[in-house]
Amino acid sequence: VDTDRWLSWSDGSRTACDCFGDLVRAYCMKYTISSPRLYVSNKALIWAQDWYRDQNIDTNHPIVALNPGAGNVAKRWPIDRYIELAVWLQKKQYTVFFVFGPKEINLFHANIEVVRQSGAHVIHFPDSQIQRLAGLLRNCWLTISNDCAVMHIAAAIGCPTLAIFGPTNS
């Protein structure tokens, strides 16, 4: 395997999937490059539809998910900017909901009232419920997220994703 070509994902010229595919092909195995996808169970899709119904959210209307959290606090875009974005999106007729993961419990509790006052919906997953989150994001027109698990899950289910990157180690 040409190690320079294999490591080219780190400079952005190829995806990590492309590079790992090179390793598989080096062992004479057939491998066709495709974007990784996360399967969303029917149970998760039904759970998401119930949540949307309970929130009075019309899934036929454009929905945007905002994720202000990240396990690494340094990677978080300031939540006041997310609030401002939520207000702007709602003025443009988008339905907005904030999602908080298990590592954002303090961020969630500190900001739940201001999020609700903005008119946005909010959900907090106190534990890692990837399938339920994927079910919710499957209905979204767009997910805007910091560099974290939510961003990766949104992209893996095929939801258009705008990722906000802060300090990171490539």
Side-chain angles (χ1 to χ4, degrees):
V1 174
D2 178 352
T3 56
D4 288 336
R5 181 169 160 76
W6 187 81
L7 290 174
S8 64
W9 68 270
S10 64
D11 67 15
S13 61
R14 298 176 71 221
T15 68
C17 289
D18 293 334
C19 296
F20 286 117
D22 290 346
L23 292 174
V24 171
R25 282 188 294 279
Y27 289 97
C28 301
M29 295 177 187
K30 184 178 179 182
Y31 176 79
T32 303
I33 300 208
S34 64
S35 296
R37 291 285 180 233
L38 175 65
Y39 170 78
V40 184
S41 71
N42 285 333
K43 184 177 177 181
L45 293 171
I46 291 167
W47 181 90
Q49 287 302 316
D50 290 344
W51 185 84
Y52 282 121
R53 187 189 64 247
D54 291 347
Q55 299 295 312
N56 294 315
I57 295 175
D58 179 0
T59 55
N60 294 313
H61 188 77
I63 301 169
V64 177
L66 301 180
N67 175 48
N72 181 344
V73 176
K75 292 184 175 186
R76 293 180 183 170
W77 194 45
I79 193 160
D80 58 320
R81 294 187 183 152
Y82 274 103
I83 300 291
E84 185 178 339
L85 178 60
V87 170
W88 182 84
L89 286 165
Q90 291 172 101
K91 286 180 183 175
K92 300 291 183 184
Q93 305 303 309
Y94 294 97
T95 299
V96 176
F97 75 89
F98 280 73
V99 60
F100 293 88
K103 293 182 180 179
E104 289 91 37
I105 192 158
N106 292 336
L107 185 67
F108 170 73
H109 286 298
N111 293 284
I112 187 169
E113 289 309 316
V114 70
V115 168
R116 287 186 175 147
Q117 288 171 4
S118 76
H121 302 270
V122 63
I123 188 165
H124 175 248
F125 290 100
D127 52 17
S128 297
Q129 298 179 7
I130 293 171
Q131 280 291 308
R132 287 184 174 183
L133 174 60
L136 287 178
L137 298 178
R138 175 62 71 77
N139 288 288
C140 291
W141 180 81
L142 175 68
T143 297
I144 302 173
S145 175
N146 295 318
D147 175 20
C148 65
V150 172
M151 174 202 72
H152 292 286
I153 292 166
I157 63 162
C159 178
T161 305
L162 174 64
I164 300 172
F165 286 88
T168 190
N169 181 345
S170 63

